[in-house]
Amino acid sequence: MFIWRGWGISVFFCLVFWIFAVVGVALSFHGAPQTNMKALATQMDLGTALIFVLTAVSVFLLGRYRKSHPRRIVDPEAQSSVFVAHVDDLYYLNLTIWAGILAAIALVFAVMAALGYSPF
């Protein structure tokens, strides 16, 4: 179940897009099958970290765009306009907070790859 307001669901769509893009590029450049399981796990960790970094950057830039382009609401009686900020949430967390969460997840996968520990 997803709970979102505005463009908050774009966090999920950005993540799905980058998963398909990174996996598609990786599969197009694959060579011989990997026989060293430790090297394969490290590559998977680094690929996962790359996916989360790209998603974090995308979500951060999308959040900045939405903040810099507020809505204009026009009052027909008074003929005045008011600018109102967009509300873009996923699970009640703003897009900029999601960018930080995704960057932290990327950091965790990068550190696990550097230390040689893999959840895969």
Side-chain angles (χ1 to χ4, degrees), residues 3-11 59-71 84-99:
I3 303 169
W4 77 89
R5 289 187 293 181
W7 286 12
I9 194 69
S10 64
V11 174
V59 169
F60 176 75
L61 292 175
L62 184 64
R64 280 191 64 184
Y65 172 78
R66 293 287 284 177
K67 281 186 179 179
S68 67
H69 292 80
R71 288 186 296 178
V84 179
H86 294 285
V87 179
D88 302 313
D89 297 341
L90 179 65
Y91 295 112
Y92 307 109
L93 298 175
N94 198 345
L95 290 179
T96 54
I97 295 172
W98 274 107

Side-chain angles (χ1 to χ4, degrees):
M1 181 168 94
F2 287 106
I3 303 169
W4 77 89
R5 289 187 293 181
W7 286 12
I9 194 69
S10 64
V11 174
F12 172 74
F13 290 130
C14 284
L15 179 63
V16 170
F17 170 77
W18 285 116
I19 287 171
F20 282 113
V22 170
V23 169
V25 168
L27 288 177
S28 68
F29 289 114
H30 80 286
Q34 184 67 263
T35 57
N36 183 357
M37 288 301 154
K38 186 160 179 78
L40 179 64
T42 302
Q43 289 175 356
M44 288 180 63
D45 286 341
L46 291 176
T48 306
L50 177 65
I51 289 168
F52 279 106
V53 164
L54 292 172
T55 305
V57 169
S58 299
V59 169
F60 176 75
L61 292 175
L62 184 64
R64 280 191 64 184
Y65 172 78
R66 293 287 284 177
K67 281 186 179 179
S68 67
H69 292 80
R71 288 186 296 178
R72 181 196 300 192
I73 297 177
V74 178
D75 184 13
E77 270 185 32
Q79 293 297 320
S80 64
S81 62
V82 178
F83 291 102
V84 179
H86 294 285
V87 179
D88 302 313
D89 297 341
L90 179 65
Y91 295 112
Y92 307 109
L93 298 175
N94 198 345
L95 290 179
T96 54
I97 295 172
W98 274 107
I101 292 169
L102 293 165
I105 293 170
L107 181 65
V108 167
F109 276 102
V111 168
M112 287 190 329
L115 296 176
Y117 176 77
S118 178
F120 297 115

